[in-house]
Amino acid sequence: MRLGDILVAKGLVTEDDIAAAMEQQRTQGGRLGDILVSAAKIQAADLDAIMQESPSPPTTIEETGISLQDLLSLAMKTIYAGGAETTSSVADVLKLPNRIVQLVLDQAKDRRLLEVLGAAGLRITSELRFALTEKGKAWAADALSQNQYIGPAPVPLSDYRERIERQRITNERVDRQAIGEAFENLIVPDAFIHQLGPAINSGQSLLLYGPPGNGKTTVAERIGRMFRNVLYVPYCFEVEGQIIKVFDPGVHEPIGQNTSDNPGRLAALRREDFDRRWVACKRPFIVAGGELTLEMLDLSFNTLAKFYEAPLHVKALGGIFMIDDFGRQLVSPEALLNRWIVPLERRVDYLKLHTGKSFSLPFDELVIFSTNLTPKDLMDPAFLRRIPYKLEIPTPTRDEFKQIFHAVSAARGLESTDQVASAVIAALQELGGTQLASFQPKFIIDQVLAACKFEDIAPRFRADLIAMAIGNLSVEQAAQATAAQGARPVSN
């Protein structure tokens, strides 16, 4: 975990500030945070708040929240199957402080599970190398038979619950400026923003509905960009001796992940003030589409590896979980909403282990339902009531369509005028009989550019090319589109 990246992510300092502080740190020494405070780049109170927010590392085995027996088993598996043979290499896998791992390995030596092979290198500061004894190999094999998890040590369920509560999405206020920045290059009516703001800040559930192609998914994705707070996600947590993986590089975006290829930066910013079992991430934005089933909302137990993968909505805790094309899932809307009656109303979710043991987690996330279908056809009033915010994304007006058309044209290097945009609207309504939609400008412009490339002509709007593009909006229009207008240019 890197302090500088967290400060940049929260908008407290810039990358240039970090670079300057690192250079001073290289030549004069000192702690990065103290250097930034001395240079008046950050207030001491802000730095203290960051340190208070982040998970503190354990200083004793008891403070890990995991039993010595489980830590021994995890360490033995790491040495046996993971190839680690020094204290620091085991600590890097377990994401625990070296001093904690050394205490665990000392216990292993006392129990004759480990033997010392010698120094790992020729320098005086080299670490001792360890190898498993026959007794240690038997311990590791038994541990692997119980579960094959090898990786960061889990955090206890109680710590995970507390962390979810501490970093609730409602702790962060999204104001008009944040919404404006997220929608900077979109044409969004003020009335819609006035409705959207309270829905986002509520941290509850939101229904986006309206005809297809008008940006429901885009709006949801932009909502995900409005949040700045850092979220701490555990690699995994432990319940009744069972390990449940949470951190997923496929859906979680670690803070400063683009600097992972710079070892110098990593070394300069790594701090022992953080518990490395947690990953500093942006608030997650996770989408589930038509593939969603009820089983995907339960813990996934790997019968071979014998540990669990958390479901998507648990991985989305503290962030946004979007159900796209709601009503077209393999599971019916009624069944899905029945599964989520308690989480949506009481903000708590219950999950069950394969042993029959159940446990609860705070259900803290903004759930977005997005659908092209009519809401009243999807659910009855009782279910609809449980989604407190319902926002329609209507078709664009003629003026809004022109604004979108001009903006996309400019971005793609095409000259567009009101006459061109009006001709497109006329062709859509007269030739295609098609309702205006926000996706159409990009669709048409991309097709016009492709046609110009094929004909080896300079990119420009031409009536026949526009007609052909509109024809490709649907199968019924394709046959008549190119014959409907001559090859005369549309005036710019």
Side-chain angles (χ1 to χ4, degrees):
M1 200 174 294
R2 298 171 290 278
L3 173 63
D5 293 323
I6 294 172
L7 296 174
V8 171
K10 293 178 74 70
L12 296 174
V13 297
T14 67
E15 288 282 358
D16 290 341
D17 294 333
I18 295 297
M22 286 176 58
E23 178 60 24
Q24 181 176 336
Q25 186 183 49
R26 184 184 69 81
T27 58
Q28 302 177 25
R31 295 159 67 97
L32 183 71
D34 296 337
I35 293 171
L36 290 168
V37 171
S38 297
K41 298 299 182 182
I42 184 175
Q43 297 294 319
D46 291 332
L47 180 62
D48 290 341
I50 294 293
M51 304 309 293
Q52 289 295 323
E53 288 175 5
S54 62
S56 300
T59 58
T60 65
I61 290 176
E62 291 73 19
E63 287 182 6
T64 66
I66 305 301
S67 69
L68 173 60
Q69 188 85 353
D70 288 341
L71 288 176
L72 273 170
S73 293
L74 188 54
M76 296 303 99
K77 288 188 292 183
T78 301
I79 297 172
Y80 181 73
E85 57 179 16
T86 64
T87 298
S88 61
S89 61
V90 174
D92 283 342
V93 175
L94 270 56
K95 305 298 183 187
L96 289 172
N98 282 22
R99 58 185 176 275
I100 299 293
V101 174
Q102 187 60 61
L103 291 172
V104 174
L105 296 184
D106 287 344
Q107 286 287 330
K109 286 188 292 181
D110 292 344
R111 301 183 186 203
R112 303 185 186 280
L113 304 178
L114 288 179
E115 60 183 351
V116 178
L117 298 181
L122 299 178
R123 296 187 303 173
I124 298 177
T125 56
S126 296
E127 295 183 88
L128 294 177
R129 294 169 51 241
F130 300 104
L132 295 177
T133 62
E134 290 303 317
K135 184 177 179 181
K137 291 177 183 178
W139 183 298
D142 180 65
L144 285 168
S145 69
Q146 296 176 40
N147 72 72
Q148 296 181 22
Y149 175 80
I150 298 175
V155 301
L157 174 63
S158 58
D159 286 5
Y160 187 32
R161 284 174 175 156
E162 180 186 1
R163 178 58 50 179
I164 295 170
E165 296 284 1
R166 288 184 61 180
Q167 56 195 22
R168 282 187 174 276
I169 195 169
T170 51
N171 291 349
E172 190 167 354
R173 177 176 175 265
V174 176
D175 56 19
R176 283 185 174 272
Q177 180 180 350
I179 296 178
E181 290 173 355
F183 289 158
E184 185 176 6
N185 60 344
L186 296 180
I187 309 302
V188 182
D190 288 340
F192 180 77
I193 292 178
H194 185 71
Q195 290 180 290
L196 182 64
I200 296 172
N201 283 280
S202 75
Q204 299 185 59
S205 53
L206 164 65
L207 174 66
L208 297 176
Y209 67 98
N214 287 309
K216 292 183 292 296
T217 301
T218 300
V219 167
E221 290 172 347
R222 297 301 177 93
I223 291 174
R225 300 182 187 180
M226 298 175 189
F227 296 93
R228 296 295 299 272
N229 280 3
V230 174
L231 195 76
Y232 295 96
V233 179
Y235 282 100
C236 58
F237 67 98
E238 184 263 348
V239 181
E240 297 286 320
Q242 304 294 317
I243 292 177
I244 301 169
K245 291 182 62 178
V246 179
F247 175 73
D248 183 346
V251 298
H252 292 119
E253 184 178 351
I255 298 298
Q257 64 177 359
N258 293 332
T259 65
S260 60
D261 57 348
N262 187 335
R265 179 176 173 84
L266 288 174
L269 300 184
R270 193 176 295 283
R271 295 287 298 275
E272 288 296 325
D273 297 308
F274 298 104
D275 188 341
R276 293 192 293 153
R277 294 178 295 171
W278 302 81
V279 185
C281 299
K282 297 180 180 179
R283 290 193 183 274
F285 177 85
I286 298 178
V287 179
E291 77 283 359
L292 184 65
T293 64
L294 282 182
E295 290 74 18
M296 293 172 64
L297 301 177
D298 294 328
L299 294 170
S300 175
F301 182 67
N302 187 320
T303 55
L304 295 178
K306 299 181 181 178
F307 59 85
Y308 296 83
E309 186 81 20
L312 284 178
H313 69 284
V314 170
K315 295 179 181 181
L317 287 171
I320 298 169
F321 186 47
M322 177 182 178
I323 302 177
D324 206 7
D325 286 330
F326 181 52
R328 303 186 188 278
Q329 279 70 35
L330 296 174
V331 57
S332 69
E334 293 81 4
L336 179 60
L337 290 172
N338 273 325
R339 165 65 178 82
W340 271 358
I341 284 179
V342 172
L344 288 176
E345 285 196 341
R346 301 182 185 177
R347 313 304 294 174
V348 62
D349 190 25
Y350 293 91
L351 299 166
K352 181 178 288 187
L353 301 170
H354 76 284
T355 60
K357 170 73 176 181
S358 294
F359 65 94
S360 64
L361 284 174
F363 188 78
D364 178 63
E365 57 197 65
L366 175 61
V367 180
I368 300 178
F369 299 91
S370 173
T371 184
N372 301 328
L373 305 176
T374 304
K376 66 180 182 180
D377 294 336
L378 281 174
M379 61 193 87
D380 61 35
F383 282 131
L384 200 56
R385 175 177 56 81
R386 291 182 168 88
I387 303 177
Y389 293 91
K390 308 159 190 70
L391 278 69
E392 181 180 11
I393 301 184
T395 58
T397 65
R398 290 175 63 93
D399 287 342
E400 289 169 347
F401 186 94
K402 288 181 180 180
Q403 291 180 57
I404 298 170
F405 193 89
H406 295 326
V408 176
S409 297
R412 301 305 301 273
L414 278 170
E415 182 182 356
S416 174
T417 65
D418 279 347
Q419 184 178 357
V420 172
S422 295
V424 170
I425 292 173
L428 281 167
Q429 295 182 332
E430 296 172 12
L431 170 65
T434 304
Q435 191 176 40
L436 297 182
S438 298
F439 83 96
Q440 292 164 348
K442 183 179 184 302
F443 182 93
I444 293 168
I445 290 167
D446 284 348
Q447 296 228 348
V448 168
L449 287 172
C452 291
K453 180 179 180 181
F454 169 72
E455 295 189 11
D456 195 23
I457 60 176
R460 66 176 184 269
F461 290 111
R462 210 170 66 186
D464 62 319
L465 302 183
I466 292 173
M468 181 175 64
I470 292 173
N472 284 327
L473 285 170
S474 68
V475 176
E476 291 78 9
Q477 297 161 9
Q480 60 178 357
T482 54
Q485 297 209 34
R488 63 184 184 277
V490 178
S491 299
N492 282 304

